[in-house]
Amino acid sequence: MKVLLTIVLSLITSNAFSFSLNNTVGAAFSKNTVPVNIADNCTNLGVSSAELLSMVSDAGTMYWNTVSTSRLRITAGSVVSVDSKFYTDKVCTTNSGSCEPNTDLTVASDILITCNGDTTDNFPNAQKTVLAITIPNNISDRTINGALIAINDRSDNIFQDQSRAKMVSVLAHEIGHAVGLGHSPVGDSLMYYTLVPVRDRLGWDDIDGITYLYPREQPFGCGTIEDINNSGKGAPLLFVLLMPFLLIQLLKLRDRFSHSFS
Ligand SMILES: [Zn+2]
C-alpha cells in the first residue's frame, strides 16, 4: 500500500510540475499588474497597433487573468515609439541553445511587443514560419523588470494569415514566455511548444506554472472557514473545550471553602 501510494504521488507530482521555466532562476515580475505596450513599428503584420493592443487585452482576459490562484494580471498598456533597432536588430547575441540578450534592446520595464524584420538572425529563411521570439531581457536576481516580444514582420510572415482568435492565443503564448514560463509537454496547454488548431483557454499545466511563479498570497493569520449550515452550534463545542478549566476552578473553590470551615 505504501509503495502504491508513493507511485500515485509521484505520478501526481510529475504531472503537476511538467511546466517549464524560460530562465534558470525562476524569475518573475514583482508587480501584480503587468502592462503590455505595443511598438508602433509594424509594416507587414496586417493588423494595426490599436488592434494588437485590443488583442493583448483579450489575451489577459481570456487566459492569464482567469487564474484565481495567481496574483498576475496582464493589462493593455500603450502604443509607444521605440528606437529603430527594435525592428532591425537581433534579439539574442548568441543563440546556441540559450539566448544571450542583446543589451541594445533591453526593455526598461513591463512587456514590450515590437515588430522585427531581421531575416539574418531572428527570422532567417530556414525559420520564416517562426511567429515570434520572446525573452525577459531585463532580469535582476529573481525579478523580471522588462521583457521583449519580437513578432516576425517579414513580408511573408505567417502571423498575418491567422484568424483573430489565433492571433490572440499566439500573443497569450508569447506573454507566457515574457512572464517567465517555458514550454509545456502537455498537449492541451497554451504553453505547448507548437500551435494547435483551437486554444481558447489555459490548460492545467499553464495554471500550475503561473501559480508557481505568481502565487496569490493570503494575508498572514489563521485560516478560518465557517460552516453556514451549523452556525450557532459553536457554543456547545466551546463549553466542551472549557470544561477542564471550569472543573479545576470548581475544585479550587471547594478546597478553599473546605479549608475555611474546618
Ligand atoms: Zn513558445
mmCIF file of all heavy atoms in Angstrom, residues 236-255:
data_model
loop_
_atom_site.group_PDB
_atom_site.id
_atom_site.type_symbol
_atom_site.label_atom_id
_atom_site.label_comp_id
_atom_site.label_asym_id
_atom_site.label_seq_id
_atom_site.Cartn_x
_atom_site.Cartn_y
_atom_site.Cartn_z
ATOM 1 N N PRO A 236 -21.846 24.919 22.205
ATOM 2 C CA PRO A 236 -21.616 23.647 22.906
ATOM 3 C C PRO A 236 -20.168 23.172 22.780
ATOM 4 O O PRO A 236 -19.591 22.668 23.736
ATOM 5 C CB PRO A 236 -22.567 22.678 22.191
ATOM 6 C CG PRO A 236 -23.625 23.533 21.606
ATOM 7 C CD PRO A 236 -22.941 24.804 21.233
ATOM 8 N N LEU A 237 -19.564 23.379 21.614
ATOM 9 C CA LEU A 237 -18.183 22.964 21.412
ATOM 10 C C LEU A 237 -17.261 23.766 22.322
ATOM 11 O O LEU A 237 -16.365 23.222 22.964
ATOM 12 C CB LEU A 237 -17.786 23.174 19.942
ATOM 13 C CG LEU A 237 -16.338 22.841 19.606
ATOM 14 C CD1 LEU A 237 -16.075 21.353 19.803
ATOM 15 C CD2 LEU A 237 -15.998 23.241 18.177
ATOM 16 N N LEU A 238 -17.526 25.070 22.446
ATOM 17 C CA LEU A 238 -16.719 25.926 23.320
ATOM 18 C C LEU A 238 -16.835 25.456 24.754
ATOM 19 O O LEU A 238 -15.851 25.400 25.496
ATOM 20 C CB LEU A 238 -17.215 27.381 23.180
ATOM 21 C CG LEU A 238 -16.389 28.437 23.901
ATOM 22 C CD1 LEU A 238 -15.004 28.520 23.275
ATOM 23 C CD2 LEU A 238 -17.082 29.789 23.842
ATOM 24 N N PHE A 239 -18.069 25.078 25.142
ATOM 25 C CA PHE A 239 -18.297 24.614 26.505
ATOM 26 C C PHE A 239 -17.477 23.351 26.788
ATOM 27 O O PHE A 239 -16.844 23.222 27.832
ATOM 28 C CB PHE A 239 -19.800 24.332 26.705
ATOM 29 C CG PHE A 239 -20.136 23.880 28.095
ATOM 30 C CD1 PHE A 239 -20.138 24.787 29.154
ATOM 31 C CD2 PHE A 239 -20.432 22.539 28.350
ATOM 32 C CE1 PHE A 239 -20.420 24.365 30.433
ATOM 33 C CE2 PHE A 239 -20.728 22.116 29.639
ATOM 34 C CZ PHE A 239 -20.724 23.035 30.676
ATOM 35 N N VAL A 240 -17.472 22.434 25.830
ATOM 36 C CA VAL A 240 -16.716 21.184 25.987
ATOM 37 C C VAL A 240 -15.234 21.489 26.142
ATOM 38 O O VAL A 240 -14.539 20.921 26.981
ATOM 39 C CB VAL A 240 -16.954 20.251 24.769
ATOM 40 C CG1 VAL A 240 -15.987 19.073 24.790
ATOM 41 C CG2 VAL A 240 -18.396 19.748 24.773
ATOM 42 N N LEU A 241 -14.738 22.445 25.314
ATOM 43 C CA LEU A 241 -13.316 22.781 25.358
ATOM 44 C C LEU A 241 -12.936 23.436 26.684
ATOM 45 O O LEU A 241 -11.829 23.273 27.176
ATOM 46 C CB LEU A 241 -12.970 23.728 24.194
ATOM 47 C CG LEU A 241 -13.000 23.088 22.799
ATOM 48 C CD1 LEU A 241 -12.843 24.145 21.715
ATOM 49 C CD2 LEU A 241 -11.899 22.037 22.660
ATOM 50 N N LEU A 242 -13.896 24.195 27.285
ATOM 51 C CA LEU A 242 -13.603 24.906 28.532
ATOM 52 C C LEU A 242 -13.862 24.049 29.772
ATOM 53 O O LEU A 242 -13.529 24.453 30.881
ATOM 54 C CB LEU A 242 -14.464 26.178 28.621
ATOM 55 C CG LEU A 242 -14.040 27.316 27.677
ATOM 56 C CD1 LEU A 242 -15.043 28.452 27.751
ATOM 57 C CD2 LEU A 242 -12.648 27.822 28.025
ATOM 58 N N MET A 243 -14.429 22.880 29.582
ATOM 59 C CA MET A 243 -14.792 22.011 30.719
ATOM 60 C C MET A 243 -13.645 21.758 31.699
ATOM 61 O O MET A 243 -13.813 21.915 32.906
ATOM 62 C CB MET A 243 -15.350 20.675 30.200
ATOM 63 C CG MET A 243 -16.855 20.673 30.015
ATOM 64 S SD MET A 243 -17.730 20.803 31.568
ATOM 65 C CE MET A 243 -17.731 19.084 32.067
ATOM 66 N N PRO A 244 -12.460 21.341 31.214
ATOM 67 C CA PRO A 244 -11.362 21.078 32.161
ATOM 68 C C PRO A 244 -11.018 22.298 33.008
ATOM 69 O O PRO A 244 -10.784 22.191 34.218
ATOM 70 C CB PRO A 244 -10.193 20.711 31.233
ATOM 71 C CG PRO A 244 -10.836 20.249 29.972
ATOM 72 C CD PRO A 244 -12.082 21.079 29.852
ATOM 73 N N PHE A 245 -11.014 23.485 32.362
ATOM 74 C CA PHE A 245 -10.686 24.717 33.071
ATOM 75 C C PHE A 245 -11.731 24.999 34.157
ATOM 76 O O PHE A 245 -11.393 25.307 35.307
ATOM 77 C CB PHE A 245 -10.620 25.871 32.062
ATOM 78 C CG PHE A 245 -10.454 27.222 32.693
ATOM 79 C CD1 PHE A 245 -9.199 27.618 33.158
ATOM 80 C CD2 PHE A 245 -11.523 28.093 32.825
ATOM 81 C CE1 PHE A 245 -9.042 28.850 33.740
ATOM 82 C CE2 PHE A 245 -11.365 29.330 33.412
ATOM 83 C CZ PHE A 245 -10.111 29.722 33.879
ATOM 84 N N LEU A 246 -13.008 24.856 33.794
ATOM 85 C CA LEU A 246 -14.092 25.108 34.764
ATOM 86 C C LEU A 246 -14.028 24.132 35.931
ATOM 87 O O LEU A 246 -14.246 24.496 37.092
ATOM 88 C CB LEU A 246 -15.453 25.000 34.059
ATOM 89 C CG LEU A 246 -15.743 26.090 33.022
ATOM 90 C CD1 LEU A 246 -17.024 25.768 32.244
ATOM 91 C CD2 LEU A 246 -15.895 27.450 33.725
ATOM 92 N N LEU A 247 -13.704 22.882 35.625
ATOM 93 C CA LEU A 247 -13.610 21.842 36.656
ATOM 94 C C LEU A 247 -12.514 22.167 37.666
ATOM 95 O O LEU A 247 -12.706 22.053 38.882
ATOM 96 C CB LEU A 247 -13.308 20.500 35.959
ATOM 97 C CG LEU A 247 -13.834 19.247 36.654
ATOM 98 C CD1 LEU A 247 -15.337 19.333 36.878
ATOM 99 C CD2 LEU A 247 -13.478 18.005 35.831
ATOM 100 N N ILE A 248 -11.372 22.614 37.161
ATOM 101 C CA ILE A 248 -10.244 22.972 38.042
ATOM 102 C C ILE A 248 -10.641 24.127 38.956
ATOM 103 O O ILE A 248 -10.363 24.125 40.157
ATOM 104 C CB ILE A 248 -9.001 23.342 37.189
ATOM 105 C CG1 ILE A 248 -8.463 22.084 36.522
ATOM 106 C CG2 ILE A 248 -7.927 23.999 38.041
ATOM 107 C CD1 ILE A 248 -7.425 22.345 35.451
ATOM 108 N N GLN A 249 -11.338 25.137 38.363
ATOM 109 C CA GLN A 249 -11.761 26.282 39.164
ATOM 110 C C GLN A 249 -12.728 25.856 40.265
ATOM 111 O O GLN A 249 -12.652 26.318 41.400
ATOM 112 C CB GLN A 249 -12.433 27.338 38.262
ATOM 113 C CG GLN A 249 -11.508 27.974 37.238
ATOM 114 C CD GLN A 249 -10.256 28.563 37.870
ATOM 115 O OE1 GLN A 249 -10.318 29.284 38.868
ATOM 116 N NE2 GLN A 249 -9.109 28.228 37.286
ATOM 117 N N LEU A 250 -13.643 24.931 39.931
ATOM 118 C CA LEU A 250 -14.603 24.442 40.926
ATOM 119 C C LEU A 250 -13.902 23.695 42.054
ATOM 120 O O LEU A 250 -14.222 23.858 43.232
ATOM 121 C CB LEU A 250 -15.624 23.511 40.238
ATOM 122 C CG LEU A 250 -16.786 24.227 39.533
ATOM 123 C CD1 LEU A 250 -17.608 23.213 38.736
ATOM 124 C CD2 LEU A 250 -17.680 24.910 40.584
ATOM 125 N N LEU A 251 -12.914 22.868 41.692
ATOM 126 C CA LEU A 251 -12.161 22.113 42.696
ATOM 127 C C LEU A 251 -11.393 23.043 43.625
ATOM 128 O O LEU A 251 -11.327 22.835 44.841
ATOM 129 C CB LEU A 251 -11.190 21.143 41.997
ATOM 130 C CG LEU A 251 -11.861 19.934 41.330
ATOM 131 C CD1 LEU A 251 -10.851 19.151 40.500
ATOM 132 C CD2 LEU A 251 -12.510 19.028 42.387
ATOM 133 N N LYS A 252 -10.838 24.120 43.044
ATOM 134 C CA LYS A 252 -10.107 25.105 43.850
ATOM 135 C C LYS A 252 -11.037 25.781 44.845
ATOM 136 O O LYS A 252 -10.707 25.987 46.011
ATOM 137 C CB LYS A 252 -9.479 26.160 42.929
ATOM 138 C CG LYS A 252 -8.178 25.710 42.282
ATOM 139 C CD LYS A 252 -7.600 26.854 41.472
ATOM 140 C CE LYS A 252 -6.298 26.433 40.816
ATOM 141 N NZ LYS A 252 -5.808 27.454 39.878
ATOM 142 N N LEU A 253 -12.247 26.127 44.347
ATOM 143 C CA LEU A 253 -13.235 26.773 45.216
ATOM 144 C C LEU A 253 -13.620 25.849 46.377
ATOM 145 O O LEU A 253 -13.718 26.259 47.526
ATOM 146 C CB LEU A 253 -14.494 27.100 44.393
ATOM 147 C CG LEU A 253 -14.533 28.486 43.744
ATOM 148 C CD1 LEU A 253 -15.786 28.616 42.896
ATOM 149 C CD2 LEU A 253 -14.523 29.580 44.839
ATOM 150 N N ARG A 254 -13.839 24.577 46.045
ATOM 151 C CA ARG A 254 -14.225 23.594 47.054
ATOM 152 C C ARG A 254 -13.134 23.474 48.123
ATOM 153 O O ARG A 254 -13.408 23.495 49.323
ATOM 154 C CB ARG A 254 -14.460 22.237 46.393
ATOM 155 C CG ARG A 254 -15.130 21.222 47.298
ATOM 156 C CD ARG A 254 -14.935 19.827 46.813
ATOM 157 N NE ARG A 254 -13.515 19.463 46.861
ATOM 158 C CZ ARG A 254 -13.055 18.275 46.495
ATOM 159 N NH1 ARG A 254 -13.884 17.360 46.044
ATOM 160 N NH2 ARG A 254 -11.770 17.993 46.567
ATOM 161 N N ASP A 255 -11.861 23.401 47.653
ATOM 162 C CA ASP A 255 -10.740 23.292 48.590
ATOM 163 C C ASP A 255 -10.684 24.506 49.517
ATOM 164 O O ASP A 255 -10.472 24.399 50.714
ATOM 165 C CB ASP A 255 -9.421 23.201 47.809
ATOM 166 C CG ASP A 255 -9.284 21.797 47.182
ATOM 167 O OD1 ASP A 255 -10.103 20.932 47.520
ATOM 168 O OD2 ASP A 255 -8.359 21.616 46.365
#
